[in-house]
Amino acid sequence: MFDAAPEGSETPGPLSRRLTVLSGPSGVGKSTVVAEIRRAHPRVWLSVSVTTRPPRPGETHGVQYFFVDDAGFDRLVDEGELLEWAEFAGNRYGTPRRPVEERLDRGEPVLLEIDLQGARQVRRTMPEALLVFLAPPSWEELVRRLTGRGTEPPEVVERRLAAARVELAAEKEFDVTLVNTSVQDVCDELLALMAVH
Ligand code: 5GP
C-alpha cells in the first residue's frame, strides 16, 4: 500500500496544471488571441519567446519576442536556458525556462504560444500541461490569412503553408481544440480553461 506509484501516474498538482500551451498552424491567429489576452487580461503572464527571426514592423524587443542572433540563440541552448525550442520556417524560436518556472512555482497561470514541435516537447517534459490547439474555421480561411498578411516573401508563405498542412494533422495530439471563429470567443474559452476569471 505504501509502494511508490508507477512512473507517470502522479496526479498533477493544481499549480503545475496552470501551464497552458496554445499552438496551431501559422496564420491561424494565435498572436492575435495572445495580444487580446495581453490587453484585456494582464493577470495572465505570457511567456516572451526568444527568436532569431527579424522583428516585423510594430514588434518591440521584450514584448512580442526577444530578438537575438544565431550565436545568442546557440548560447541559450548550450546553457540549458530554454524550456523548449524549435526551428520554424528558417528561424529558431524558444521559451526561456526560468521565468516560466518562477511563475509556476508561485502558482501563477502561464500561457505559452508556441509551434507544434515545441508543444510536443512540453508534452514530454511537463505532461501535466494543458495543450490547446487553435484551429482555423476552414483551410481556405487559413490560406487567405497566410497569403494576406503581406509581410513575408512568397517563398516564406509557401514554407508556412507546408508547415500548416502538417500542423493541422496534429490536432488529435492536443487536449482541447478551439476553432478561431472569433477572437473574443477564443479568449473567453481559453481563460475558462485556464480557470482565470
Ligand atoms: P511568427 O514568426 O509568426 O511570430 O511565429 C512563427 C511560429 O513560431 C508560430 O507558430 C509561433 O507559435 C511559433 N513560436 C513562437 N515562439 C515560439 C517558441 O518559443 N517556441 C516554439 N517552439 N515556437 C514558437
Side-chain angles (χ1 to χ4, degrees):
M1 135 181 236
F2 296 109
D3 285 350
E7 272 226 326
S9 73
E10 299 88 353
T11 311
L15 303 188
S16 53
R17 239 197 312 238
R18 309 199 82 176
L19 177 65
T20 304
V21 173
L22 181 67
S23 196
S26 176
V28 76
K30 296 186 298 280
S31 47
T32 312
V33 169
V34 162
E36 175 59 13
I37 288 181
R38 184 179 281 124
R39 188 193 67 77
H41 302 276
R43 186 169 114 62
V44 178
W45 184 74
L46 292 157
S47 165
V48 180
S49 296
V50 180
T51 184
T52 57
R53 150 167 99 55
R56 295 192 184 119
E59 288 184 332
T60 307
H61 183 78
V63 178
Q64 288 82 11
Y65 286 104
F66 295 106
F67 297 97
V68 297
D69 59 13
D70 270 315
F73 201 97
D74 286 342
R75 214 164 27 245
L76 291 170
V77 172
D78 291 345
E79 290 168 0
E81 290 289 338
L82 300 180
L83 189 67
E84 59 74 35
W85 69 271
E87 193 166 329
F88 183 91
N91 291 299
R92 287 184 292 169
Y93 299 79
T95 304
R97 175 190 300 280
R98 265 183 291 181
V100 170
E101 289 179 346
E102 280 166 19
R103 260 79 182 184
L104 290 177
D105 284 347
R106 293 206 295 264
E108 294 173 18
V110 167
L111 182 59
L112 306 184
E113 184 246 289
I114 59 179
D115 86 322
L116 174 64
Q117 307 161 68
R120 286 188 177 127
Q121 290 173 51
V122 173
R123 172 65 95 208
R124 277 198 300 276
T125 55
M126 302 173 102
E128 65 281 7
L130 179 72
L131 265 55
V132 180
F133 189 85
L134 190 61
S138 66
W139 171 254
E140 290 69 29
E141 177 62 16
L142 184 63
V143 173
R144 202 183 60 74
R145 288 186 198 179
L146 274 175
T147 323
R149 185 143 67 188
T151 49
E152 260 84 25
E155 64 274 16
V156 173
V157 173
E158 259 323 302
R159 283 161 88 173
R160 281 170 184 255
L161 280 175
R165 251 176 235 115
V166 174
E167 288 193 319
L168 277 177
E171 181 188 339
K172 53 189 178 301
E173 298 170 35
F174 284 69
D175 298 309
V176 185
T177 295
L178 300 179
V179 179
N180 194 7
T181 41
S182 123
V183 173
Q184 198 54 61
D185 288 353
V186 169
C187 286
D188 291 347
E189 287 161 359
L190 195 56
L191 293 169
L193 287 170
M194 296 178 75
V196 175
H197 304 289

